[in-house]
Amino acid sequence: MWDWARRFGVKTVVFFFAVLSLTGLTYRLIGWWNAWRGNWGSVFYCYAGSRDFIDSYAPPGMVAFFRWRPVPIGVMRQDGRWGLVLASPVTERDFADPANAADFRRLQQRLGRIADLMGVDVINLAGILPSLLARKGVLKVNDSRAVVVAAVQAAVADVQAAHFPDGLRDVIVLGGGGHVGRALCAALDGGGYTCHAVDPRGHATALPVALHGAPCLLIDIARKGAIRDYIPQMWPGLVVLNEVFPCPSRRDVARMKAAGVQVFHLAGVAGRIIPPLPHGYENAVPCCASHSAAIGAVRVIALG
């Protein structure tokens, strides 16, 4: 009953601000306040990681109209400054489909206009969007790779201290050939770890056979759901640290636990989003949403 009431309340507020945002008034009001107080730092845009994400925010009948329109779904507070959280009911497949190129371009233009009205110059994007825009984007966005890498390194240190008392040498990076993955592998190699890049889009496409049975850490920074195909290759003593949104499903976590694998999720950096994002992001700001290089503490939670 409480969950239904919470979702209804969130949907009602989102619908109100979605309609108001069509006039630009929401963003202009923030811009006027920001010109006076200067405490709004960023815009963070995310998208539907699952159908449940859409159902958490979008009232019936709203999805089609707002598909390529950024809608305010919350605010974030980090490092003493505020940020606006925007989302659209689209998926990774929608962004990658060439048939949607014109709509994707208009979405970018709308995000740029929103940031201008708010008077902020930091635009952060979730998921695959930074890599897509690096190749063919028309919007200038913040490069959050350094923050994500620093947050993952901090999470690795936390997991190592708690679960590798004899030290940790080998780290597998699922998605190690990607936009963030390459930077993370370079940082881990420079930090004294032996990094093994595994990427479903190329490079090594299987977990290293030579490590089978050895205690090591697998960091998932690949695309949503990619880790599912690697579960049959896992072994007891392996530890998984997920950085992907949404976090692995309960079914996938149960399969990994049954294989003797411990699973952890990096929820993000110190901060808060109101209302919290679903799927393991309560009481934290996703790494890619950070508008401050000073990440502070990170939040790592055990799954399963």
Side-chain angles (χ1 to χ4, degrees):
M1 181 66 179
W2 164 246
D3 184 63
W4 178 89
R6 182 190 62 80
R7 287 200 176 202
F8 178 79
V10 169
K11 289 179 182 180
T12 302
V13 172
V14 167
F15 179 76
F16 172 78
F17 281 104
V19 174
L20 191 62
S21 70
L22 295 176
T23 69
L25 181 59
T26 301
Y27 314 121
R28 287 186 170 90
L29 288 173
I30 293 175
W32 293 334
W33 179 270
N34 207 25
W36 174 42
R37 297 295 299 271
N39 57 355
W40 283 81
S42 65
V43 166
F44 172 54
Y45 174 78
C46 54
Y47 54 88
S50 67
R51 181 69 217 183
D52 186 58
F53 185 97
I54 296 176
D55 293 340
S56 295
Y57 293 98
M62 179 178 166
V63 173
F65 181 80
F66 285 97
R67 188 168 177 230
W68 293 100
R69 290 179 171 86
V71 172
I73 63 167
V75 295
M76 56 175 272
R77 180 75 170 172
Q78 184 211 4
D79 198 26
R81 305 188 76 192
W82 293 95
L84 184 66
V85 182
L86 303 163
S88 299
V90 288
T91 64
E92 289 187 358
R93 183 176 298 179
D94 294 325
F95 292 124
D97 189 345
N100 296 325
D103 288 322
F104 187 23
R105 190 175 301 109
R106 280 191 289 271
L107 172 66
Q108 295 176 56
Q109 292 167 345
R110 287 166 176 154
L111 286 171
R113 176 62 174 161
I114 289 169
D116 288 342
L117 290 175
M118 290 176 55
V120 301
D121 55 10
V122 175
I123 302 174
N124 286 314
L125 304 177
I128 65 169
L129 292 180
S131 59
L132 282 180
L133 265 66
R135 298 196 302 268
K136 54 183 179 181
V138 298
L139 177 67
K140 183 179 180 181
V141 299
N142 184 45
D143 187 348
S144 61
R145 282 179 295 180
V147 172
V148 176
V149 168
V152 173
Q153 287 181 294
V156 169
D158 288 350
V159 172
Q160 176 177 342
H163 300 282
F164 294 92
D166 298 326
L168 173 65
R169 183 188 67 182
D170 293 294
V171 177
I172 303 168
V173 178
L174 182 59
H179 184 68
V180 177
R182 292 191 301 272
L184 177 59
C185 286
L188 291 172
D189 282 333
Y193 299 101
T194 300
C195 188
H196 307 265
V198 176
D199 200 302
R201 295 163 293 185
H203 305 273
T205 56
L207 302 188
V209 175
L211 295 179
H212 196 279
C216 65
L217 176 67
L218 185 153
I219 302 172
D220 182 14
I221 201 163
R223 297 176 77 167
K224 179 190 74 171
I227 196 171
R228 186 173 300 123
D229 295 333
Y230 295 85
I231 296 176
Q233 304 175 33
M234 296 180 181
W235 58 88
L238 183 69
V239 176
V240 169
L241 174 62
N242 172 74
E243 196 277 333
V244 180
F245 176 84
C247 61
S249 68
R250 291 180 180 177
R251 181 179 179 182
D252 288 341
V253 171
R255 290 176 62 201
M256 287 186 273
K257 297 282 283 186
V261 175
Q262 292 181 289
V263 187
F264 297 89
H265 170 58
L266 173 56
V269 301
R272 189 180 180 194
I273 290 183
I274 308 168
L277 297 176
H279 304 300
Y281 288 86
E282 297 82 0
N283 300 317
V285 170
C287 304
C288 57
S290 174
H291 54 218
S292 171
I295 62 170
V298 295
R299 182 166 182 259
V300 178
I301 57 177
L303 299 180

